[in-house]
Every structure is written in C-alpha cells, then in structure tokens.
Coordinates of all heavy atoms in Angstrom, one line a residue:
M5 N -112.7 -88.1 9.0 CA -112.4 -86.7 8.7 C -111.4 -86.6 7.5 O -110.4 -87.4 7.5 CB -111.8 -86.1 10.0 CG -111.5 -84.6 9.8 SD -110.8 -84.0 11.4 CE -109.7 -82.8 10.7
Q6 N -111.7 -85.7 6.6 CA -110.9 -85.5 5.4 C -109.5 -85.0 5.8 O -109.3 -84.2 6.7 CB -111.5 -84.5 4.5 CG -110.8 -84.3 3.2 CD -111.6 -83.4 2.3 OE1 -112.8 -83.4 2.3 NE2 -110.9 -82.6 1.6
K7 N -108.4 -85.6 5.2 CA -107.1 -85.2 5.4 C -106.4 -84.7 4.1 O -106.7 -85.2 3.1 CB -106.2 -86.3 6.0 CG -106.7 -86.8 7.3 CD -105.8 -88.0 7.8 CE -106.2 -88.4 9.2 NZ -105.4 -89.5 9.7
T8 N -105.5 -83.7 4.3 CA -104.7 -83.3 3.1 C -103.6 -84.4 2.9 O -103.4 -85.2 3.9 CB -104.0 -82.0 3.4 OG1 -103.1 -82.1 4.4 CG2 -105.0 -80.9 3.7
P9 N -102.9 -84.5 1.8 CA -101.9 -85.4 1.6 C -100.8 -85.3 2.7 O -100.3 -86.3 3.3 CB -101.3 -85.1 0.3 CG -102.4 -84.5 -0.5 CD -103.2 -83.7 0.5
A10 N -100.5 -84.1 3.1 CA -99.5 -83.9 4.2 C -99.9 -84.4 5.5 O -99.1 -84.7 6.4 CB -99.1 -82.4 4.2
E11 N -101.2 -84.4 5.8 CA -101.7 -84.9 7.0 C -101.8 -86.4 7.1 O -102.0 -86.9 8.2 CB -103.1 -84.3 7.3 CG -103.1 -82.8 7.5 CD -104.5 -82.2 7.5 OE1 -105.4 -82.7 6.8 OE2 -104.7 -81.1 8.2
C12 N -101.7 -87.1 6.0 CA -101.7 -88.5 6.0 C -100.4 -89.1 6.6 O -99.3 -88.7 6.1 CB -101.9 -89.1 4.6 SG -103.5 -88.7 4.0
T13 N -100.5 -89.9 7.6 CA -99.3 -90.4 8.3 C -99.1 -91.9 8.1 O -98.1 -92.5 8.4 CB -99.3 -90.1 9.8 OG1 -100.5 -90.7 10.3 CG2 -99.2 -88.6 10.0
T14 N -100.2 -92.6 7.5 CA -100.1 -94.0 7.3 C -100.6 -94.3 5.9 O -101.3 -93.5 5.3 CB -100.9 -94.8 8.3 OG1 -102.3 -94.5 8.1 CG2 -100.5 -94.5 9.7
M15 N -100.3 -95.5 5.4 CA -100.9 -95.9 4.1 C -102.4 -96.0 4.2 O -103.1 -95.8 3.2 CB -100.2 -97.2 3.6 CG -98.8 -97.0 3.1 SD -98.7 -95.8 1.7 CE -99.8 -96.5 0.5
A16 N -102.9 -96.4 5.4 CA -104.4 -96.5 5.5 C -105.0 -95.1 5.4 O -106.1 -95.0 4.7 CB -104.7 -97.1 6.9
D17 N -104.3 -94.1 5.9 CA -104.8 -92.7 5.7 C -104.8 -92.4 4.2 O -105.8 -91.8 3.7 CB -103.9 -91.7 6.4 CG -104.0 -91.7 7.9 OD1 -104.9 -92.3 8.4 OD2 -103.1 -91.1 8.5
V18 N -103.7 -92.6 3.5 CA -103.6 -92.3 2.1 C -104.7 -93.1 1.3 O -105.4 -92.5 0.5 CB -102.2 -92.7 1.5 CG1 -102.2 -92.6 0.0 CG2 -101.2 -91.7 2.2
R19 N -104.9 -94.4 1.6 CA -105.8 -95.2 0.9 C -107.3 -94.7 1.1 O -108.1 -94.7 0.2 CB -105.7 -96.7 1.3 CG -104.4 -97.2 0.7 CD -104.2 -98.7 1.2 NE -102.9 -99.2 0.6 CZ -102.1 -100.0 1.2 NH1 -102.4 -100.4 2.5 NH2 -101.0 -100.4 0.7
A20 N -107.6 -94.3 2.3 CA -108.9 -93.8 2.7 C -109.2 -92.6 1.9 O -110.3 -92.4 1.4 CB -109.0 -93.6 4.2
E21 N -108.2 -91.7 1.8 CA -108.4 -90.4 1.0 C -108.6 -90.7 -0.5 O -109.4 -90.1 -1.2 CB -107.3 -89.4 1.3 CG -107.3 -88.9 2.7 CD -108.6 -88.3 3.2 OE1 -109.2 -87.5 2.4 OE2 -109.1 -88.6 4.3
I22 N -107.8 -91.6 -1.0 CA -107.9 -92.0 -2.4 C -109.3 -92.6 -2.7 O -110.0 -92.2 -3.7 CB -106.8 -92.9 -2.9 CG1 -105.5 -92.1 -2.9 CG2 -107.1 -93.6 -4.2 CD1 -104.2 -93.0 -3.2
D23 N -109.7 -93.5 -1.8 CA -111.1 -94.0 -1.9 C -112.2 -93.0 -1.9 O -113.1 -93.0 -2.6 CB -111.3 -95.1 -0.9 CG -110.5 -96.3 -1.1 OD1 -109.9 -96.5 -2.1 OD2 -110.4 -97.2 -0.1
R24 N -112.0 -92.0 -1.0 CA -113.0 -90.9 -0.9 C -113.0 -90.1 -2.2 O -114.1 -89.8 -2.7 CB -112.6 -90.0 0.3 CG -113.5 -88.8 0.5 CD -113.0 -87.8 1.6 NE -111.6 -87.3 1.3 CZ -111.4 -86.3 0.4 NH1 -112.4 -85.8 -0.3 NH2 -110.2 -85.9 0.2
L25 N -111.8 -89.8 -2.7 CA -111.7 -89.0 -3.9 C -112.3 -89.8 -5.1 O -113.0 -89.2 -6.0 CB -110.3 -88.6 -4.2 CG -109.8 -87.5 -3.3 CD1 -108.3 -87.3 -3.5 CD2 -110.6 -86.2 -3.6
D26 N -112.0 -91.1 -5.2 CA -112.5 -91.9 -6.3 C -114.1 -91.9 -6.3 O -114.7 -91.8 -7.3 CB -112.1 -93.4 -6.1 CG -110.6 -93.5 -6.5 OD1 -110.0 -92.6 -7.1 OD2 -110.1 -94.6 -6.3
R27 N -114.7 -92.0 -5.1 CA -116.1 -91.9 -5.0 C -116.6 -90.5 -5.4 O -117.6 -90.4 -6.2 CB -116.6 -92.2 -3.5 CG -118.0 -92.0 -3.3 CD -118.9 -93.0 -3.9 NE -120.3 -92.7 -3.6 CZ -121.3 -93.3 -4.2 NH1 -121.1 -94.2 -5.1 NH2 -122.5 -92.9 -3.9
A28 N -115.9 -89.5 -5.0 CA -116.3 -88.1 -5.4 C -116.2 -87.9 -6.9 O -117.1 -87.3 -7.6 CB -115.5 -87.1 -4.7
L29 N -115.2 -88.5 -7.5 CA -115.0 -88.4 -9.0 C -116.2 -89.2 -9.7 O -116.7 -88.7 -10.7 CB -113.7 -89.1 -9.4 CG -112.5 -88.2 -9.1 CD1 -111.2 -89.0 -9.4 CD2 -112.5 -87.0 -10.0
M30 N -116.6 -90.3 -9.1 CA -117.7 -91.1 -9.7 C -119.0 -90.3 -9.6 O -119.8 -90.3 -10.6 CB -117.9 -92.4 -9.0 CG -116.8 -93.4 -9.4 SD -116.9 -93.8 -11.2 CE -115.5 -94.9 -11.3
V31 N -119.2 -89.6 -8.5 CA -120.4 -88.7 -8.4 C -120.3 -87.6 -9.5 O -121.4 -87.3 -10.1 CB -120.5 -88.1 -7.0 CG1 -121.5 -87.0 -6.9 CG2 -120.7 -89.2 -5.9
L32 N -119.2 -87.0 -9.7 CA -119.1 -86.0 -10.8 C -119.3 -86.6 -12.1 O -119.9 -86.0 -13.0 CB -117.7 -85.3 -10.7 CG -117.5 -84.4 -9.5 CD1 -116.1 -83.9 -9.4 CD2 -118.5 -83.2 -9.5
F33 N -118.7 -87.8 -12.4 CA -119.0 -88.5 -13.7 C -120.5 -88.8 -13.9 O -121.0 -88.6 -15.0 CB -118.2 -89.8 -13.8 CG -116.7 -89.5 -14.1 CD1 -115.7 -90.2 -13.4 CD2 -116.3 -88.7 -15.1 CE1 -114.4 -90.0 -13.6 CE2 -114.9 -88.5 -15.4 CZ -114.0 -89.2 -14.7
A34 N -121.1 -89.2 -12.8 CA -122.6 -89.4 -12.9 C -123.3 -88.1 -13.2 O -124.3 -88.1 -14.1 CB -123.1 -90.0 -11.6
E35 N -122.9 -87.0 -12.6 CA -123.5 -85.7 -12.9 C -123.3 -85.4 -14.4 O -124.2 -84.9 -15.1 CB -123.0 -84.7 -12.0 CG -123.6 -83.3 -12.2 CD -123.0 -82.2 -11.3 OE1 -122.2 -82.6 -10.4 OE2 -123.4 -81.1 -11.5
R36 N -122.0 -85.6 -14.8 CA -121.7 -85.3 -16.2 C -122.5 -86.1 -17.2 O -123.0 -85.6 -18.2 CB -120.2 -85.5 -16.4 CG -119.6 -85.1 -17.8 CD -118.2 -85.4 -17.9 NE -117.5 -84.8 -19.0 CZ -117.6 -85.1 -20.2 NH1 -118.3 -86.2 -20.6 NH2 -116.9 -84.5 -21.2
W37 N -122.7 -87.4 -16.8 CA -123.5 -88.2 -17.7 C -125.0 -87.7 -17.8 O -125.5 -87.8 -18.9 CB -123.5 -89.7 -17.1 CG -123.9 -90.7 -18.1 CD1 -125.1 -91.4 -18.2 CD2 -123.1 -91.1 -19.3 NE1 -125.1 -92.2 -19.3 CE2 -123.9 -92.0 -20.0 CE3 -121.9 -90.7 -19.7 CZ2 -123.4 -92.7 -21.1 CZ3 -121.4 -91.4 -20.9 CH2 -122.2 -92.3 -21.6
G38 N -125.5 -87.2 -16.8 CA -126.8 -86.6 -16.9 C -126.9 -85.5 -17.9 O -127.9 -85.3 -18.6
Y39 N -125.8 -84.7 -18.1 CA -125.8 -83.7 -19.1 C -125.7 -84.3 -20.5 O -126.2 -83.7 -21.4 CB -124.7 -82.7 -18.8 CG -125.0 -81.8 -17.6 CD1 -124.4 -82.0 -16.4 CD2 -125.9 -80.8 -17.7 CE1 -124.6 -81.3 -15.3 CE2 -126.2 -80.0 -16.6 CZ -125.5 -80.2 -15.4 OH -125.8 -79.5 -14.3
I40 N -125.0 -85.4 -20.6 CA -124.9 -86.1 -21.9 C -126.3 -86.5 -22.3 O -126.7 -86.3 -23.5 CB -123.9 -87.3 -21.8 CG1 -122.5 -86.9 -21.4 CG2 -123.9 -88.1 -23.1 CD1 -121.9 -85.8 -22.3
V41 N -127.0 -87.1 -21.4 CA -128.4 -87.5 -21.7 C -129.3 -86.3 -22.1 O -130.0 -86.3 -23.1 CB -129.0 -88.3 -20.6 CG1 -130.5 -88.6 -20.8 CG2 -128.2 -89.6 -20.3
R42 N -129.1 -85.2 -21.4 CA -129.9 -84.0 -21.7 C -129.5 -83.4 -23.0 O -130.4 -82.9 -23.8 CB -129.7 -83.0 -20.6 CG -130.6 -81.8 -20.7 CD -132.1 -82.1 -20.7 NE -132.8 -80.9 -20.9 CZ -133.9 -80.8 -21.6 NH1 -134.4 -81.9 -22.2 NH2 -134.6 -79.7 -21.8
A43 N -128.2 -83.5 -23.4 CA -127.8 -83.0 -24.7 C -128.5 -83.7 -25.8 O -128.9 -83.1 -26.8 CB -126.2 -83.1 -24.8
A44 N -128.6 -85.0 -25.7 CA -129.3 -85.8 -26.7 C -130.8 -85.4 -26.8 O -131.3 -85.3 -27.9 CB -129.2 -87.3 -26.4
E45 N -131.4 -85.1 -25.7 CA -132.8 -84.7 -25.7 C -132.9 -83.4 -26.4 O -133.9 -83.1 -27.1 CB -133.3 -84.6 -24.2 CG -133.4 -85.9 -23.5 CD -133.7 -85.8 -22.0 OE1 -133.7 -84.7 -21.5 OE2 -133.9 -86.8 -21.4
I46 N -132.0 -82.5 -26.2 CA -132.0 -81.2 -26.8 C -131.7 -81.3 -28.3 O -132.3 -80.6 -29.1 CB -131.1 -80.2 -26.1 CG1 -131.7 -79.9 -24.7 CG2 -130.9 -78.9 -26.9 CD1 -130.7 -79.1 -23.8
K47 N -130.7 -82.1 -28.6 CA -130.3 -82.3 -30.0 C -131.4 -82.9 -30.9 O -131.5 -82.5 -32.1 CB -129.1 -83.2 -30.1 CG -127.8 -82.5 -29.6 CD -126.6 -83.5 -29.7 CE -125.3 -82.8 -29.2 NZ -124.2 -83.7 -29.3
R48 N -132.2 -83.8 -30.3 CA -133.2 -84.5 -31.1 C -134.1 -83.6 -31.9 O -134.1 -83.6 -33.2 CB -134.0 -85.5 -30.3 CG -135.1 -86.2 -31.1 CD -135.8 -87.2 -30.3 NE -135.0 -88.4 -30.1 CZ -134.5 -88.8 -28.9 NH1 -134.9 -88.1 -27.8 NH2 -133.8 -89.8 -28.7
P49 N -134.8 -82.6 -31.3 CA -135.7 -81.8 -32.1 C -135.0 -80.8 -33.0 O -135.5 -80.3 -34.0 CB -136.6 -81.0 -31.1 CG -135.8 -81.1 -29.8 CD -135.0 -82.4 -29.9
L50 N -133.7 -80.5 -32.7 CA -132.9 -79.6 -33.5 C -132.2 -80.3 -34.6 O -131.6 -79.7 -35.5 CB -131.8 -78.9 -32.6 CG -132.4 -78.1 -31.5 CD1 -131.2 -77.6 -30.6 CD2 -133.2 -76.9 -32.0
K51 N -132.4 -81.7 -34.6 CA -131.8 -82.5 -35.7 C -130.3 -82.4 -35.7 O -129.7 -82.4 -36.8 CB -132.4 -82.3 -37.0 CG -133.9 -82.6 -37.0 CD -134.5 -82.8 -38.4 CE -136.0 -82.9 -38.5 NZ -136.6 -83.7 -37.5
L52 N -129.7 -82.2 -34.5 CA -128.2 -82.2 -34.4 C -127.7 -83.6 -34.3 O -128.3 -84.5 -33.7 CB -127.8 -81.3 -33.2 CG -128.1 -79.9 -33.3 CD1 -127.8 -79.2 -32.0 CD2 -127.4 -79.2 -34.5
K53 N -126.5 -83.8 -34.8 CA -125.9 -85.1 -34.6 C -125.2 -85.3 -33.3 O -124.9 -84.3 -32.6 CB -124.8 -85.3 -35.7 CG -125.3 -85.3 -37.1 CD -125.9 -86.6 -37.4 CE -126.3 -86.8 -38.9 NZ -127.0 -88.0 -39.1
A54 N -125.0 -86.5 -32.9 CA -124.3 -86.7 -31.6 C -122.9 -86.2 -31.6 O -122.4 -85.6 -30.7 CB -124.3 -88.2 -31.3
D55 N -122.2 -86.5 -32.7 CA -120.8 -86.1 -32.9 C -120.7 -84.7 -33.5 O -121.0 -84.6 -34.7 CB -120.1 -87.1 -33.7 CG -118.6 -86.9 -33.7 OD1 -118.1 -86.0 -33.2 OD2 -117.9 -87.8 -34.3
I56 N -120.2 -83.8 -32.8 CA -120.0 -82.4 -33.3 C -118.5 -82.1 -33.2 O -118.0 -81.8 -32.1 CB -120.9 -81.4 -32.6 CG1 -122.4 -81.7 -32.7 CG2 -120.6 -79.9 -33.1 CD1 -123.3 -80.8 -31.9
P57 N -117.7 -82.3 -34.3 CA -116.3 -82.3 -34.2 C -115.7 -81.0 -33.5 O -114.7 -81.1 -32.8 CB -115.8 -82.4 -35.6 CG -117.0 -83.2 -36.3 CD -118.2 -82.7 -35.6
A58 N -116.3 -79.9 -33.8 CA -115.7 -78.7 -33.2 C -115.8 -78.7 -31.7 O -114.9 -78.3 -31.0 CB -116.5 -77.4 -33.7
R59 N -117.0 -79.3 -31.2 CA -117.1 -79.4 -29.7 C -116.2 -80.4 -29.1 O -115.6 -80.2 -28.1 CB -118.6 -79.7 -29.4 CG -118.9 -79.9 -27.9 CD -118.5 -78.6 -27.1 NE -118.8 -78.9 -25.7 CZ -118.2 -78.3 -24.7 NH1 -117.4 -77.3 -24.9 NH2 -118.6 -78.6 -23.4
V60 N -116.0 -81.5 -29.9 CA -115.0 -82.5 -29.4 C -113.7 -81.9 -29.2 O -113.0 -82.1 -28.2 CB -115.0 -83.7 -30.4 CG1 -113.9 -84.7 -30.1 CG2 -116.4 -84.5 -30.3
S61 N -113.2 -81.2 -30.2 CA -111.9 -80.5 -30.1 C -111.9 -79.6 -29.0 O -110.8 -79.5 -28.3 CB -111.6 -79.8 -31.4 OG -111.5 -80.7 -32.5
E62 N -112.9 -78.8 -28.8 CA -113.0 -77.8 -27.7 C -112.8 -78.5 -26.3 O -112.1 -78.1 -25.4 CB -114.3 -77.0 -27.7 CG -114.4 -76.0 -26.7 CD -115.8 -75.3 -26.7 OE1 -116.7 -75.8 -27.4 OE2 -115.8 -74.2 -26.1
V63 N -113.6 -79.6 -26.1 CA -113.5 -80.3 -24.8 C -112.2 -80.9 -24.6 O -111.6 -80.9 -23.5 CB -114.7 -81.4 -24.8 CG1 -114.5 -82.2 -23.5 CG2 -116.0 -80.7 -24.8
K64 N -111.6 -81.5 -25.6 CA -110.2 -82.1 -25.5 C -109.2 -81.0 -25.1 O -108.3 -81.2 -24.3 CB -109.8 -82.8 -26.8 CG -110.4 -84.1 -27.0 CD -109.9 -84.7 -28.3 CE -110.6 -86.0 -28.6 NZ -110.2 -86.5 -29.9
E65 N -109.3 -79.8 -25.8 CA -108.4 -78.7 -25.5 C -108.6 -78.2 -24.1 O -107.7 -77.9 -23.4 CB -108.6 -77.6 -26.5 CG -107.6 -76.5 -26.3 CD -106.1 -76.9 -26.3 OE1 -105.7 -77.8 -27.0 OE2 -105.4 -76.3 -25.4
N66 N -109.9 -78.2 -23.6 CA -110.2 -77.8 -22.3 C -109.5 -78.7 -21.3 O -108.9 -78.3 -20.3 CB -111.7 -77.8 -22.0 CG -112.4 -76.6 -22.6 OD1 -111.8 -75.6 -23.1 ND2 -113.7 -76.7 -22.8
A67 N -109.6 -80.0 -21.6 CA -108.9 -81.0 -20.7 C -107.4 -80.8 -20.6 O -106.8 -80.8 -19.6 CB -109.3 -82.4 -21.2
R68 N -106.8 -80.6 -21.8 CA -105.4 -80.3 -21.8 C -105.0 -79.1 -21.1 O -104.1 -79.1 -20.3 CB -105.0 -80.2 -23.3 CG -103.5 -79.8 -23.5 CD -103.1 -79.8 -25.0 NE -102.8 -81.2 -25.4 CZ -101.7 -81.8 -25.2 NH1 -100.7 -81.2 -24.6 NH2 -101.5 -83.0 -25.7
R69 N -105.7 -78.0 -21.3 CA -105.4 -76.7 -20.6 C -105.6 -76.9 -19.1 O -104.8 -76.4 -18.3 CB -106.3 -75.6 -21.2 CG -106.0 -74.2 -20.6 CD -106.8 -73.1 -21.2 NE -108.2 -73.3 -20.9 CZ -109.1 -73.8 -21.8 NH1 -108.7 -74.0 -23.1 NH2 -110.4 -73.9 -21.5
N70 N -106.7 -77.5 -18.7 CA -107.0 -77.7 -17.2 C -105.9 -78.5 -16.6 O -105.4 -78.3 -15.5 CB -108.3 -78.4 -17.0 CG -109.5 -77.4 -17.3 OD1 -109.3 -76.2 -17.2 ND2 -110.6 -78.0 -17.7
A71 N -105.4 -79.6 -17.3 CA -104.3 -80.4 -16.8 C -103.1 -79.6 -16.6 O -102.4 -79.6 -15.6 CB -104.1 -81.6 -17.7
V72 N -102.7 -78.8 -17.6 CA -101.5 -77.9 -17.5 C -101.7 -77.0 -16.4 O -100.7 -76.8 -15.6 CB -101.3 -77.2 -18.9 CG1 -100.2 -76.1 -18.7 CG2 -100.9 -78.1 -20.0
D73 N -102.8 -76.3 -16.2 CA -103.1 -75.4 -15.2 C -102.9 -76.0 -13.8 O -102.5 -75.3 -12.8 CB -104.5 -74.8 -15.3 CG -104.6 -73.8 -16.4 OD1 -103.6 -73.4 -17.1 OD2 -105.8 -73.5 -16.7
L74 N -103.2 -77.3 -13.7 CA -103.1 -78.0 -12.4 C -101.9 -78.8 -12.2 O -101.7 -79.5 -11.2 CB -104.4 -78.9 -12.2 CG -105.7 -78.2 -12.1 CD1 -106.9 -79.1 -12.3 CD2 -105.8 -77.4 -10.8
G75 N -100.9 -78.6 -13.1 CA -99.6 -79.3 -13.0 C -99.7 -80.8 -13.3 O -98.9 -81.6 -12.8
L76 N -100.7 -81.2 -14.1 CA -100.9 -82.6 -14.5 C -100.4 -82.8 -15.9 O -100.2 -81.9 -16.6 CB -102.4 -83.0 -14.4 CG -103.0 -82.8 -13.0 CD1 -104.5 -83.0 -13.1 CD2 -102.4 -83.8 -12.0
E77 N -100.2 -84.1 -16.2 CA -99.7 -84.4 -17.5 C -100.7 -84.3 -18.6 O -101.7 -85.1 -18.6 CB -99.1 -85.9 -17.4 CG -98.1 -86.3 -18.5 CD -98.8 -86.6 -19.8 OE1 -99.6 -87.5 -19.8 OE2 -98.4 -85.9 -20.8
P78 N -100.6 -83.3 -19.5 CA -101.7 -83.0 -20.4 C -102.1 -84.1 -21.4 O -103.2 -84.3 -21.7 CB -101.2 -81.7 -21.1 CG -99.8 -81.7 -20.9 CD -99.5 -82.4 -19.6
E79 N -101.1 -84.8 -21.9 CA -101.4 -85.9 -22.9 C -102.3 -87.0 -22.3 O -103.2 -87.4 -22.9 CB -100.1 -86.5 -23.5 CG -99.4 -85.6 -24.4 CD -98.6 -84.5 -23.8 OE1 -98.2 -84.6 -22.6 OE2 -98.3 -83.5 -24.5
F80 N -102.0 -87.3 -21.0 CA -102.7 -88.4 -20.4 C -104.2 -87.9 -20.2 O -105.1 -88.7 -20.5 CB -102.2 -88.7 -19.0 CG -103.0 -89.6 -18.2 CD1 -103.1 -91.0 -18.5 CD2 -103.9 -89.1 -17.2 CE1 -103.9 -91.8 -17.8 CE2 -104.7 -90.0 -16.5 CZ -104.7 -91.3 -16.8
Y81 N -104.4 -86.7 -19.7 CA -105.8 -86.3 -19.5 C -106.5 -86.0 -20.7 O -107.7 -86.2 -20.8 CB -105.8 -85.1 -18.5 CG -105.4 -85.6 -17.1 CD1 -104.1 -85.6 -16.7 CD2 -106.3 -86.2 -16.3 CE1 -103.7 -86.1 -15.4 CE2 -106.0 -86.8 -15.1 CZ -104.7 -86.7 -14.7 OH -104.3 -87.3 -13.5
E82 N -105.8 -85.5 -21.8 CA -106.5 -85.4 -23.1 C -107.0 -86.7 -23.6 O -108.1 -86.8 -24.1 CB -105.6 -84.7 -24.1 CG -106.3 -84.4 -25.4 CD -105.4 -83.7 -26.4 OE1 -104.2 -83.3 -26.1 OE2 -105.8 -83.5 -27.5
Q83 N -106.2 -87.8 -23.4 CA -106.5 -89.1 -23.8 C -107.7 -89.6 -23.0 O -108.6 -90.3 -23.5 CB -105.4 -90.1 -23.8 CG -104.3 -89.8 -24.8 CD -103.1 -90.7 -24.7 OE1 -103.1 -91.6 -23.9 NE2 -102.0 -90.4 -25.4
L84 N -107.6 -89.4 -21.7 CA -108.7 -89.8 -20.8 C -110.0 -89.2 -21.2 O -111.1 -89.8 -21.3 CB -108.4 -89.5 -19.4 CG -109.4 -89.9 -18.3 CD1 -109.6 -91.4 -18.3 CD2 -108.9 -89.4 -16.9
W85 N -110.0 -87.9 -21.5 CA -111.2 -87.2 -21.9 C -111.6 -87.6 -23.3 O -112.8 -87.7 -23.6 CB -111.0 -85.6 -21.9 CG -111.7 -85.0 -20.7 CD1 -112.8 -84.2 -20.8 CD2 -111.5 -85.2 -19.3 NE1 -113.3 -83.9 -19.6 CE2 -112.5 -84.5 -18.6 CE3 -110.5 -85.9 -18.6 CZ2 -112.5 -84.5 -17.2 CZ3 -110.6 -85.9 -17.2 CH2 -111.6 -85.2 -16.6
A86 N -110.7 -88.0 -24.2 CA -111.1 -88.5 -25.5 C -111.9 -89.8 -25.3 O -112.9 -90.0 -26.0 CB -109.8 -88.8 -26.3
Q87 N -111.6 -90.6 -24.3 CA -112.3 -91.8 -24.0 C -113.7 -91.5 -23.5 O -114.7 -92.1 -23.8 CB -111.6 -92.7 -23.1 CG -110.4 -93.4 -23.7 CD -109.8 -94.4 -22.7 OE1 -109.5 -94.1 -21.5 NE2 -109.5 -95.6 -23.2
L88 N -113.8 -90.5 -22.6 CA -115.1 -90.0 -22.1 C -116.0 -89.5 -23.2 O -117.2 -89.8 -23.3 CB -114.9 -88.9 -21.1 CG -114.3 -89.2 -19.7 CD1 -114.0 -87.9 -18.9 CD2 -115.3 -90.1 -18.9
I89 N -115.4 -88.8 -24.1 CA -116.1 -88.2 -25.2 C -116.6 -89.3 -26.2 O -117.8 -89.3 -26.6 CB -115.2 -87.2 -26.0 CG1 -114.9 -86.0 -25.1 CG2 -115.9 -86.8 -27.3 CD1 -113.8 -85.1 -25.6
E90 N -115.7 -90.3 -26.4 CA -116.1 -91.4 -27.3 C -117.3 -92.1 -26.7 O -118.2 -92.5 -27.5 CB -114.9 -92.3 -27.5 CG -115.1 -93.5 -28.4 CD -113.9 -94.3 -28.5 OE1 -112.8 -93.8 -28.7 OE2 -114.0 -95.6 -28.4
Q91 N -117.3 -92.4 -25.4 CA -118.4 -93.1 -24.8 C -119.6 -92.3 -24.8 O -120.7 -92.8 -25.1 CB -118.0 -93.4 -23.3 CG -119.0 -94.3 -22.6 CD -119.1 -95.7 -23.1 OE1 -118.2 -96.2 -23.8 NE2 -120.2 -96.4 -22.9
A92 N -119.5 -91.0 -24.6 CA -120.7 -90.1 -24.6 C -121.3 -90.0 -26.0 O -122.5 -90.1 -26.1 CB -120.3 -88.7 -24.1
I93 N -120.5 -89.9 -27.0 CA -121.0 -89.8 -28.4 C -121.7 -91.1 -28.7 O -122.8 -91.1 -29.3 CB -119.9 -89.5 -29.4 CG1 -119.4 -88.1 -29.2 CG2 -120.3 -89.8 -30.8 CD1 -118.2 -87.7 -30.0
A94 N -121.1 -92.3 -28.4 CA -121.8 -93.6 -28.6 C -123.1 -93.7 -28.0 O -124.1 -94.1 -28.6 CB -120.8 -94.7 -28.2
H95 N -123.2 -93.2 -26.7 CA -124.5 -93.2 -26.0 C -125.5 -92.2 -26.6 O -126.6 -92.6 -26.8 CB -124.2 -92.8 -24.5 CG -125.4 -93.0 -23.7 ND1 -126.0 -94.2 -23.4 CD2 -126.2 -92.1 -23.1 CE1 -127.1 -94.1 -22.7 NE2 -127.2 -92.8 -22.4
E96 N -125.0 -91.1 -27.0 CA -125.9 -90.1 -27.7 C -126.4 -90.7 -29.0 O -127.6 -90.5 -29.3 CB -125.2 -88.8 -27.9 CG -125.2 -87.9 -26.8 CD -124.7 -86.5 -27.1 OE1 -125.1 -86.0 -28.2 OE2 -123.9 -85.9 -26.4
K97 N -125.6 -91.3 -29.7 CA -126.0 -92.0 -31.0 C -127.1 -93.0 -30.8 O -128.0 -93.0 -31.5 CB -124.8 -92.6 -31.7 CG -123.9 -91.6 -32.4 CD -122.8 -92.3 -33.1 CE -121.9 -91.3 -33.9 NZ -120.8 -92.0 -34.7
R98 N -126.9 -93.8 -29.7 CA -128.0 -94.7 -29.4 C -129.3 -94.0 -29.0 O -130.4 -94.4 -29.5 CB -127.6 -95.7 -28.2 CG -126.5 -96.7 -28.6 CD -126.3 -97.7 -27.5 NE -125.7 -97.2 -26.3 CZ -124.4 -96.9 -26.1 NH1 -123.5 -97.2 -27.0 NH2 -124.0 -96.4 -25.0
L99 N -129.2 -93.0 -28.2 CA -130.4 -92.2 -27.8 C -131.1 -91.5 -29.0 O -132.3 -91.4 -29.1 CB -130.0 -91.2 -26.8 CG -129.6 -91.7 -25.4 CD1 -129.2 -90.6 -24.5 CD2 -130.7 -92.5 -24.7
L100 N -130.2 -91.1 -30.0 CA -130.8 -90.4 -31.1 C -131.1 -91.3 -32.3 O -131.6 -90.9 -33.3 CB -129.7 -89.4 -31.6 CG -129.5 -88.2 -30.7 CD1 -128.3 -87.4 -31.1 CD2 -130.7 -87.3 -30.5
G101 N -130.9 -92.6 -32.1 CA -131.2 -93.6 -33.2 C -130.2 -93.5 -34.3 O -130.4 -94.1 -35.4
E102 N -129.0 -92.9 -34.1 CA -128.0 -92.8 -35.2 C -127.3 -94.1 -35.4 O -126.8 -94.4 -36.5 CB -127.0 -91.7 -34.9 CG -127.5 -90.3 -35.0 CD -126.4 -89.3 -34.6 OE1 -125.2 -89.5 -34.9 OE2 -126.8 -88.2 -34.1
D103 N -127.3 -95.0 -34.4 CA -126.5 -96.2 -34.5 C -127.4 -97.2 -35.3 O -126.9 -98.3 -35.6 CB -126.1 -96.8 -33.2 CG -127.3 -97.1 -32.3 OD1 -128.4 -96.6 -32.5 OD2 -127.1 -97.8 -31.3
E104 N -128.6 -96.9 -35.6 CA -129.5 -97.8 -36.4 C -129.5 -97.5 -37.9 O -130.1 -98.3 -38.6 CB -130.9 -97.7 -35.9 CG -131.1 -98.1 -34.4 CD -132.4 -97.7 -33.8 OE1 -133.3 -97.1 -34.5 OE2 -132.6 -97.9 -32.6
R105 N -128.8 -96.5 -38.3 CA -128.8 -96.1 -39.7 C -127.7 -96.7 -40.4 O -126.7 -97.1 -40.0 CB -128.7 -94.6 -39.8 CG -129.9 -93.9 -39.2 CD -129.8 -92.4 -39.3 NE -130.9 -91.9 -38.4 CZ -131.0 -90.7 -38.0 NH1 -130.1 -89.8 -38.3 NH2 -131.9 -90.3 -37.2

C-alpha cells in the first residue's frame, strides 16, 4: 500500500516508496520516449531537423519553471532536462539519418 512520506515509519517504508516512485518515473520516461520517436516520424516528411533550438529553450524553461513551482532546485532540473533533450536529439538524428551526413 502506498504511503505518504509522513506515513513512513521505517527506512524500509521509505525505500519501498522511493523504489515505487523510481519505477513510476521510468514508466513516464518510456512514455516520453515514445513521443520522441513519433516526433522524428512526423519531422521526416516535413524535412525538419532533430534539433530545433527554440523548442530546446522552451523545454528547458518549462523544466525550470516546473521545478520552481514545486519547490525544487531549478538549476538541477534544468540540467537534468538538458541531458534528456540531448539524448532525445541524438536519437532523433539517428532516426532521421542526420548523423550520417
């Protein structure tokens, strides 16, 4: 049964909840990755590049703003999202054949 942080009374409780959340985050990352693949499929016939700097900036700013809104450290989450974006662009480039040019 899921517990809130306040309901956790042992380290085992805390660890179980962290493990549960880590799995849930991975499920969300997998879902996000599906959209990255779909973006490449949509970009191909439109002859769009994998890297669209305006969108990269927008996603990083969204991460920063969301972190602030949730009381999290914005620089850390912006950097984390920058890594997600970098990986996604590299994957899209492979899918679009941009890494072969």
